[in-house]
Amino acid sequence: MYSDKVMDHFKNPRNVGEIENPDGVGEVGNPVCGDIMNIYLKIENNIITDAKFKTFGCGAAIASSSMATELVKGKTLEEAWDVSNKAVADALEGLPPIKMHCSVLAEEGIHKAINNYRKKQGLPEWEEKNPHSHEHEDVTCEH
Ligand code: FES
């Protein structure tokens, strides 16, 4: 069911933990399954210099957080904002359709952390280009 890459990032997740004094934090939850993801970012001169996560969720959510934090490190905030859940899933060599929504958590977590940083800087928050709505997802979450 899962690609080798998903299994690798699930079994050996990168960037697990918290950043002390993070510049941006994002907490998102998936109301469908109750899983929660926390993202922590360190930002210097508009570049994400470090990213960590704590995820209480399914294997696909853990693999997605691991990959998403890897993908945004070293990127500008604009580039990181454009890392979609599909990009995360592609980097994981695909997720089963029933698990795609788990990667949405990663995209939303990064977005929330970026906006948390922007808010603290007194900058306007960015708007979601493609708002995901869990309410209308007719998926069942299987752990
Ligand atoms: Fe809840 Fe994957 S995030 S099942």
Side-chain angles (χ1 to χ4, degrees):
M1 176 174 176
Y2 290 115
S3 71
D4 290 346
K5 226 165 196 146
V6 173
M7 290 314 290
D8 175 30
H9 279 261
F10 170 55
K11 286 188 183 153
N12 306 296
R14 321 318 190 247
N15 313 312
V16 176
E18 248 177 83
I19 291 176
E20 238 180 274
N21 303 318
D23 297 304
V25 291
E27 181 181 287
V28 283
N30 183 338
V32 182
C33 58
D35 290 345
I36 294 172
M37 189 181 290
N38 293 283
I39 301 277
Y40 307 90
L41 300 178
K42 199 89 203 155
I43 298 160
E44 279 168 44
N45 299 325
N46 203 48
I47 304 235
I48 296 176
T49 53
D50 201 8
K52 289 199 187 299
F53 77 90
K54 281 200 306 201
T55 292
F56 307 91
C58 72
I62 290 167
S64 296
S65 332
S66 170
M67 184 53 87
T69 46
E70 282 288 270
L71 288 175
V72 299
K73 266 201 273 181
K75 285 198 165 54
T76 65
L77 293 186
E78 287 79 5
E79 288 166 344
W81 185 269
D82 285 339
V83 173
S84 64
N85 78 298
K86 188 166 179 309
V88 173
D90 285 351
L92 287 169
E93 293 169 357
L95 281 171
I98 197 173
K99 287 288 175 183
M100 276 305 282
H101 69 284
C102 313
S103 63
V104 169
L105 273 190
E107 180 188 321
E108 290 182 347
I110 300 281
H111 283 181
K112 271 214 171 166
I114 289 175
N115 268 337
N116 174 252
Y117 167 77
R118 289 183 59 86
K119 205 170 168 184
K120 284 200 262 182
Q121 302 293 309
L123 298 165
E125 292 179 44
W126 285 335
E127 282 187 28
E128 298 284 348
K129 276 183 240 159
N130 305 306
H132 302 280
S133 173
H134 294 296
E135 276 102 289
H136 304 295
E137 268 181 317
D138 55 347
V139 293
T140 48
C141 281
E142 287 170 10
H143 286 258

